[in-house]
Amino acid sequence: MKRLTAILLIGFIITSCSVNKKEIIILKTLDQFDTQEENERLGVDILNYMFPVFLQQEFPDFTQTDLKNITWQYFIRESDKQVSFRLILSNEALSKKDNITDFFEKTVNEQVERQVQDKEIFDKAVKLTEQSLEQLDNGEFDKFWSNSDSIMQNMTSKEDFFATITDREKIKTIGGDRVYHSKQYYKNMPNYEEKDFYVINLTFEKDKNMMEQITFQLENGELKIAGYTNRLPN
């Protein structure tokens, strides 16, 4: 079993203000990689998967109250430093426990399997993300666009795309150095008919609320940019 040397609790939490009933479900022990750093990173990767989006797709009858009573966490136990991924259900969500638990177990298992299976692809995507963002920093727009895929090129023209991201010129001045945040695999993405996307997320040293994200898809065996987005200060 791989161990971590520090206690870490990171959560993407959707919870109600008043909690009367609560149940904690341990979904998976995260020990798939050889180093504690990689297992810790795996927890963050899974934590930031778009669970709310796909929960609503899977269960369109779920109410906002149901969703507000679902919490998921990457957790390291103080007693033995064991890394686990767990689900916390409260109040109304408990009545839908079986459906919610099945969904999370399936999704977490699929994400873990893909993160391990496609480790080399993810490593390449992280490096390509850094290179692509440096191209944007340096105004090398033709180089960036030349690595975009058919999805992106069919959605917009090069001129229109770069016209929409002129505000990112101030991004490094405000945020400082980029900091790797997380990566995810998505078999499907909302509003896309295509499949198999690799998403890389970076934040910034001075402002962790700022973000840049590049989405890749394999096209003829090569990673191509299928989308770019950022979150800047208001």
Side-chain angles (χ1 to χ4, degrees), residues 57 73 81 85 98 108-109 131 161 178 186 197 203:
Q57 284 188 1
Q73 296 178 333
K81 307 298 187 279
F85 194 85
D98 289 344
V108 169
N109 285 336
Q131 294 172 9
F161 170 74
R178 292 187 187 87
Y186 293 96
F197 296 95
T203 56

Side-chain angles (χ1 to χ4, degrees), residues 170-219:
K170 60 186 179 184
I171 201 165
K172 291 208 70 175
T173 303
I174 298 173
D177 292 338
R178 292 187 187 87
V179 179
Y180 170 83
H181 182 264
S182 62
K183 60 189 186 300
Q184 292 83 35
Y185 166 82
Y186 293 96
K187 185 175 182 180
N188 301 289
M189 291 282 274
N191 304 318
Y192 285 94
E193 295 182 1
E194 295 81 359
K195 298 182 181 295
D196 300 320
F197 296 95
Y198 299 84
V199 177
I200 309 298
N201 308 286
L202 295 95
T203 56
F204 288 82
E205 183 182 31
K206 295 180 183 178
D207 189 343
K208 295 297 190 293
N209 290 318
M210 292 172 58
M211 177 272 293
E212 282 194 285
Q213 178 189 89
I214 291 188
T215 299
F216 294 96
Q217 189 183 37
L218 284 173
E219 191 172 86

Side-chain angles (χ1 to χ4, degrees), residues 21-137:
K21 299 177 182 178
K22 181 170 70 175
E23 183 173 346
I24 299 174
I25 304 161
I26 304 299
L27 290 180
K28 194 172 188 66
T29 299
L30 304 178
D31 64 349
Q32 276 67 29
F33 291 111
D34 292 332
T35 67
Q36 65 182 41
E37 181 182 3
E38 288 176 303
N39 285 314
E40 179 180 340
R41 190 178 300 134
L42 175 62
V44 177
D45 292 338
I46 302 171
L47 188 72
N48 287 276
Y49 184 86
M50 293 191 299
F51 290 111
V53 172
F54 294 101
L55 264 169
Q56 292 223 269
Q57 284 188 1
E58 184 81 7
F59 306 111
D61 60 326
F62 275 24
T63 67
Q64 287 301 309
T65 301
D66 294 327
L67 298 174
K68 287 178 181 178
N69 282 284
I70 304 172
T71 301
W72 52 98
Q73 296 178 333
Y74 162 48
F75 183 71
I76 301 174
R77 295 192 311 205
E78 183 176 2
S79 59
D80 60 8
K81 307 298 187 279
Q82 186 180 75
V83 186
S84 63
F85 194 85
R86 69 185 194 178
L87 183 66
I88 303 174
L89 304 181
S90 305
N91 299 329
E92 289 83 355
L94 286 168
S95 65
K96 299 176 173 63
K97 173 184 173 181
D98 289 344
N99 285 340
I100 296 170
T101 303
D102 287 347
F103 168 83
F104 270 90
E105 285 182 343
K106 176 184 176 183
T107 304
V108 169
N109 285 336
E110 287 177 347
Q111 186 66 195
V112 168
E113 181 180 357
R114 183 61 67 164
Q115 292 275 350
V116 174
Q117 173 185 314
D118 288 356
K119 184 178 183 303
E120 288 188 12
I121 296 176
F122 275 116
D123 289 345
K124 290 179 181 178
V126 170
K127 290 181 181 179
L128 189 55
T129 296
E130 294 169 351
Q131 294 172 9
S132 300
L133 294 177
E134 286 178 5
Q135 289 169 354
L136 292 182
D137 292 342

